[in-house]
Amino acid sequence: MGENPVTKWFFLIIMNYLAFHIGFSAGVSLTKKTYIVQMDNSAMPESFSSHLDWYLSKVKSVVFEPEKEGDADEEDRIIYNYETTFHGVAARLSEQEAERLQEEDGVLAIFPDTKYQLHTTRSPTFLGLEPEDSNSVWSQKLADHDVVVGVLDTGIWPESASFNDTGMTPVPVHWKGICETGRGFQKHHCNKKIVGARIFYRGYETATGKINEQTEYKSARDQDGHGTHTAATVAGSPVHGANLLGYAHGTARGMAPGARIAAYKVCWSGGCFSSDILSAVDRAVADGVNVLSISLGGGVISYYHDSLSIASFGAMEMGVFVSCSAGNGGPDPVSLTNVSPWITTVGASTMDRNFPATAKLGTGRTITGVSLYKGRRVLTANKKYPLVYMGSNSSSPDPSSLCLEGTLNPSVVAGKIVICDRGISPRVQKGQVVKDAGGVGMILSNTAANGEELIADCHLLPAVAVGETEGKAIKSYALTNRKATASLTFLGTRLGIRPSPVVAAFSSRGPNLLSLEILKPDVVAPGVNILAAWTGEIGPSSLPTDHRRVQFNILSGTSMSCPHVSGVAALLKTRHPEWSPAAIKSALMTTAYVHDNTHNPLIDASLAAPSTPYDHGAGHINPEKALDPGLIYDIDAQDYFEFLCTQKLSLGQLKAFSKNANRSCHHSFASPGDLNYPAISVVVKANGNVSSITLHRTATNVGSPVSNYRVVVSPFKGVTTKVEPRSLNFTQKYEKLSYKVTFTTRSRQTNPEFGGLIWKDGVHKVRSPVLITYLQPV
């Protein structure tokens, strides 16, 4: 497999274990763009009647050229006022004005508006949530209808059967949200399922120009499909007979089918901007959401320069659980986004359902791949079609082998099945290129970046996706045999696939370089080939040339795994309304499993080898066990603030997180690893003077009042471990007992070590993943 990937990660850790900084570049440009201005709301002078008046005066004081008479006044410089999870404004400023404003009293920080990307059925049964089992703990309806999940995405398609509100009780009284109207979205489109809909576009328009309302809905209506799919995955009502062109036939339902949905449209045709996302979080918390599901992300920057991190801290303070996708940057190491410890960061894995298709070569060999093709163009059974590959034996793909637009010669590929390498362009678009050039079919081959991971797509011509190894064999056959032939066959839906789950190759990986002591991702959840509701505006391939219209679509991405966790969090909030966001996260993490349905360790699809906590975090979610975890590791806002106090932030930078409670550092943590996180990540520094590290944890009993737990810890080569005490004896519910774990270096290892610490009482197994990172001398 070449270089050991763990060694490569270590090189990256050593090279990158540093602070992240952002600044404004020098220049003389008067071009205005959006900046997010964070203010210290406690510093407002008494002479101002409102915070907005004060913010406005600050902005006016730095404007270089006041607007001329008749022009828009200075108030137009402010596009958002933030007042719930974040204090300040988004304002249109030149670079020089932003620099001047940075120096003003009361201004905590200024961030340039940044662009975020979307992280683009069977899962309820796979996760043990199927309601048909009348004995299921999830079949109790208790207060499901009281929980509201805010979905920040591309909007919603309200006509979908997944948003039917039949049988739902009136909207809960705590809900303060509204249904904003616009083209294609009226008051009646909200109901007892979709309880709110808002749009956020001012930052987007400042960066990209006005939205064309003829071609794009400037309303909560979703023409992209992504937001409808994620919302239905969180809380879609049951729809019998759901399918995509006959594939994945069954009952489609969200994780929390009784929960309400509030759609916050923050993403438009040209992307999603942080000023809009921040305003949506701020508004959603004020509206009364209980859970926020955010399937998008930007790059990784320091906590105090990340507006979503700061806003989600504010949401957590107000009891809102925030779930974010880890990103689709895998299998590259250090590719995570949304790494703040108060966010639940979700990676993606497969389910035990697949959509097999075969490519039979002229040699008689049959190769199995996957496909969701179902179209009018059908390849004749038993007929062999000429097979062609436009690349070479070189390991690096070229434009022709990637089947990029305009690279295929029709005289060469017409009437043939074309082999295309994955990469650069969307998978389904390659098929369109083949079709336009006269090809009759496509074999889509993985490269080293994707390994053996198979993702099914709703192709526009007969097409089969195959893994890297088989792809190499097919390409070799086509290159060495001038009369190479193949035929393609589509086999429908298969259940009971083994092994499953498998960690998706595209799922972003750790380690978390901002804080090695905080393991990320937190968990993995189904994110490959997920069936959920779809927009009526575009076809299932999302290509403009696709004129098919479907009610459900099958998508893959951490965007799909994030709403699985958001929905399960809504169920846990229903059953345990008193639980904090950290308690819900702890229940999900400590009950997660790390073995597949063949009882072997979870596999990493990119390597076809066991995955590590860098890939799967604490493991794959197990909702039924999370309902009754036995013990939880709770964390309150002050604890998270104490963690930030260990991150070498200045007082001004810390103030970004102390807005609602005017918090200060009590210095109660000896190291960042003392945060009461459900995972234990130990960093053995390169400095040889420190031979032992002691970390502290506090467990809260949420099981039987009288519970006795004993500890079991994995052995490690490089360190010895000692847990004190070795038993926790609880006498009442919600009692808290503390323990400490001392790790003593025995022999420094070149690669990280992984294991677990488990508290057992005969009923529960409360597992914390343990990760030992050995920093090497540079």
Side-chain angles (χ1 to χ4, degrees):
M1 296 300 296
E3 182 184 7
N4 181 327
V6 178
T7 306
K8 183 168 76 170
W9 290 359
F10 258 73
F11 178 73
L12 280 161
I13 292 171
I14 294 160
M15 297 302 291
N16 292 296
Y17 193 50
L18 39 77
F20 291 75
H21 297 285
I22 254 184
F24 301 113
S25 59
V28 203
S29 166
L30 292 177
T31 307
K32 297 181 191 70
K33 59 183 184 180
T34 304
Y35 290 89
I36 295 167
V37 183
Q38 188 178 20
M39 302 292 293
D40 178 358
N41 69 322
S42 65
M44 182 181 80
E46 290 181 5
S47 54
F48 290 96
S49 59
S50 74
H51 281 97
L52 182 56
D53 286 344
W54 179 45
Y55 303 156
L56 183 58
S57 77
K58 286 290 184 188
V59 171
K60 282 182 178 176
S61 73
V62 300
V63 170
F64 272 99
E65 294 179 6
E67 311 283 353
K68 299 189 183 84
E69 291 233 10
D71 284 356
D73 67 347
E74 288 91 339
E75 286 198 38
D76 279 357
R77 293 292 199 105
I78 290 179
I79 63 172
Y80 286 119
N81 175 29
Y82 305 121
E83 52 191 359
T84 304
T85 62
F86 187 97
H87 293 300
V89 292
R92 295 186 308 110
L93 302 167
S94 70
E95 225 167 73
Q96 290 72 33
E97 290 166 349
E99 287 173 348
R100 287 177 63 180
L101 189 56
Q102 179 86 70
E103 305 304 316
E104 289 285 315
D105 290 341
V107 176
L108 292 176
I110 296 185
F111 324 115
D113 207 2
T114 54
K115 190 173 176 180
Y116 282 58
Q117 298 296 337
L118 292 163
H119 289 152
T120 282
T121 124
R122 174 72 182 160
S123 44
T125 308
F126 185 65
L127 293 174
L129 299 177
E130 203 54 49
E132 277 78 354
D133 174 9
S134 59
N135 297 319
S136 168
V137 287
W138 301 106
S139 63
Q140 309 159 26
K141 288 284 180 170
L142 298 182
D144 286 20
H145 298 339
D146 291 343
V147 175
V148 181
V149 182
V151 181
L152 272 64
D153 216 297
T154 63
I156 197 162
W157 191 260
E159 290 82 4
S160 170
S162 293
F163 308 126
N164 185 320
D165 67 351
T166 302
M168 295 193 77
T169 58
V171 176
V173 292
H174 80 266
W175 178 245
K176 302 181 184 67
I178 62 168
C179 193
E180 286 184 3
T181 60
R183 185 168 80 88
F185 207 96
Q186 302 305 318
K187 291 285 186 197
H188 72 270
H189 286 123
C190 288
N191 57 16
K192 288 178 283 191
K193 168 60 75 175
I194 303 173
V195 296
R198 295 182 186 266
I199 63 171
F200 301 83
Y201 56 86
R202 293 175 194 158
Y204 175 78
E205 286 195 335
T206 299
T208 66
K210 291 286 184 188
I211 291 167
N212 182 338
E213 296 191 49
Q214 267 34 71
T215 60
E216 190 165 6
Y217 291 106
K218 198 172 182 179
S219 73
R221 181 167 290 280
D222 174 24
Q223 67 197 85
D224 178 274
H226 192 277
T228 299
H229 199 279
T230 56
T233 301
V234 170
S237 302
V239 181
H240 301 294
N243 66 92
L244 169 61
L245 304 175
Y247 288 100
H249 192 280
T251 299
R253 58 184 284 273
M255 298 300 101
R260 321 284 183 154
I261 296 164
Y264 296 87
K265 185 172 179 178
V266 296
C267 295
W268 305 85
S269 60
C272 334
F273 283 80
S274 54
S275 57
D276 298 327
I277 295 165
L278 183 55
S279 185
V281 172
D282 200 58
R283 190 66 257 167
V285 173
D287 284 347
V289 300
N290 306 102
V291 174
L292 276 171
S293 189
I294 307 176
S295 285
L296 45 86
V300 175
I301 52 174
S302 51
Y303 300 118
Y304 63 91
H305 266 127
D306 183 344
S307 57
L308 181 54
S309 174
I310 297 168
S312 57
F313 187 99
M316 170 274 301
E317 278 187 295
M318 299 174 116
V320 177
F321 179 92
V322 182
S323 171
C324 291
S325 46
N328 298 338
D332 288 345
V334 201
S335 48
L336 289 162
T337 63
N338 301 318
V339 298
S340 298
W342 45 89
I343 288 173
T344 298
T345 311
V346 189
S349 54
T350 66
M351 292 187 297
D352 64 344
R353 179 180 66 194
N354 212 343
F355 307 101
T358 61
K360 187 172 184 181
L361 306 184
T363 59
R365 184 177 174 199
T366 299
I367 288 167
T368 301
V370 296
S371 182
L372 292 169
Y373 177 70
K374 191 71 158 280
R376 286 192 296 266
R377 182 184 290 207
V378 180
L379 298 185
T380 306
N382 301 320
K383 181 179 174 183
K384 298 293 185 188
Y385 294 83
L387 182 66
V388 62
Y389 177 55
M390 303 302 289
S392 66
N393 275 322
S394 163
S395 58
S396 53
D398 58 45
S400 295
S401 78
L402 291 163
C403 300
L404 302 183
E405 200 80 46
T407 62
L408 298 183
N409 184 342
S411 66
V412 177
V413 305
K416 297 176 182 174
I417 293 173
V418 183
I419 304 165
C420 299
D421 286 316
R422 267 180 75 173
I424 299 185
S425 63
R427 299 181 299 273
V428 286
Q429 193 173 43
K430 295 174 190 292
Q432 182 69 52
V433 171
V434 171
K435 188 178 179 183
D436 291 345
V440 296
M442 175 176 72
I443 295 175
L444 183 63
S445 172
N446 281 2
T447 61
N450 321 109
E452 302 310 313
E453 170 178 76
L454 296 178
I455 295 177
D457 292 299
C458 201
H459 293 285
L460 288 162
L461 86 171
V464 176
V466 299
E468 182 197 10
T469 304
E470 299 288 30
K472 280 180 178 174
I474 299 170
K475 288 185 280 191
S476 175
Y477 166 60
L479 289 169
T480 58
N481 190 324
R482 288 177 58 195
K483 293 188 176 180
T485 60
S487 62
L488 307 179
T489 307
F490 305 94
L491 303 175
T493 306
R494 296 285 186 274
L495 302 177
I497 302 299
R498 298 160 74 88
S500 65
V502 169
V503 179
F506 62 73
S507 186
S508 288
R509 312 304 170 97
N512 165 20
L513 287 190
L514 270 190
S515 307
L516 287 172
E517 296 84 357
I518 302 298
L519 175 66
K520 291 285 179 173
D522 290 304
V523 289
V524 291
V528 178
N529 298 337
I530 304 301
L531 180 80
W534 191 242
T535 175
E537 194 72 17
I538 57 171
S541 69
S542 295
L543 295 178
T545 52
D546 187 354
H547 300 298
R548 299 170 295 181
R549 293 294 178 266
V550 296
Q551 293 183 315
F552 290 84
N553 200 4
I554 291 175
L555 299 182
S556 298
T558 54
S559 279
M560 283 64 251
S561 52
C562 169
H564 279 84
V565 167
S566 311
V568 173
L571 288 173
L572 291 171
K573 187 71 177 173
T574 292
R575 300 298 184 268
H576 303 285
E578 75 284 4
W579 280 10
S580 68
I584 293 171
K585 178 199 277 199
S586 175
L588 289 167
M589 289 177 71
T590 62
T591 59
Y593 58 84
V594 291
H595 290 84
D596 60 32
N597 58 2
T598 68
H599 308 294
N600 290 308
L602 294 179
I603 294 292
D604 173 358
S606 70
L607 298 172
S611 60
T612 75
Y614 286 153
D615 314 317
H616 62 236
H620 189 285
I621 61 167
N622 188 339
E624 192 147 359
K625 280 199 161 47
L627 181 73
D628 176 25
L631 305 177
I632 55 167
Y633 295 94
D634 210 355
I635 307 173
D636 63 22
Q638 182 63 36
D639 292 331
Y640 284 122
F641 191 76
E642 291 297 328
F643 162 79
L644 289 165
C645 296
T646 68
Q647 297 298 292
K648 299 185 172 64
L649 305 189
S650 69
L651 287 175
Q653 291 161 353
L654 282 168
K655 209 163 179 89
F657 297 92
S658 63
K659 54 201 171 297
N660 286 330
N662 207 16
R663 302 184 187 283
S664 59
C665 293
H666 301 157
H667 303 292
S668 52
F669 293 168
S671 80
D674 272 339
L675 181 68
N676 201 36
Y677 215 66
I680 297 173
S681 182
V682 182
V683 180
V684 179
K685 300 280 174 61
N687 174 354
N689 298 337
V690 181
S691 62
S692 70
I693 299 163
T694 299
L695 299 182
H696 301 81
R697 291 292 184 272
T698 299
T700 303
N701 178 28
V702 293
S704 302
V706 178
S707 303
N708 299 306
Y709 287 85
R710 298 191 65 77
V711 73
V712 180
V713 191
S714 305
F716 298 95
K717 288 181 184 175
V719 297
T720 58
T721 57
K722 183 180 181 184
V723 182
E724 298 175 284
R726 294 194 61 81
S727 62
L728 297 176
N729 301 311
F730 296 93
T731 57
Q732 56 190 6
K733 196 167 184 181
Y734 302 122
E735 183 181 0
K736 294 177 183 289
L737 292 177
S738 297
Y739 66 91
K740 62 182 181 179
V741 193
T742 301
F743 299 88
T744 304
T745 306
R746 186 164 49 189
S747 64
R748 182 180 296 278
Q749 304 294 298
T750 53
N751 287 330
E753 293 193 82
F754 309 108
L757 180 151
I758 305 173
W759 290 99
K760 299 179 178 181
D761 69 344
V763 177
H764 306 95
K765 290 183 179 178
V766 186
R767 181 182 185 275
S768 292
V770 178
L771 164 63
I772 316 288
T773 303
Y774 302 89
L775 291 182
Q776 306 300 320
V778 179

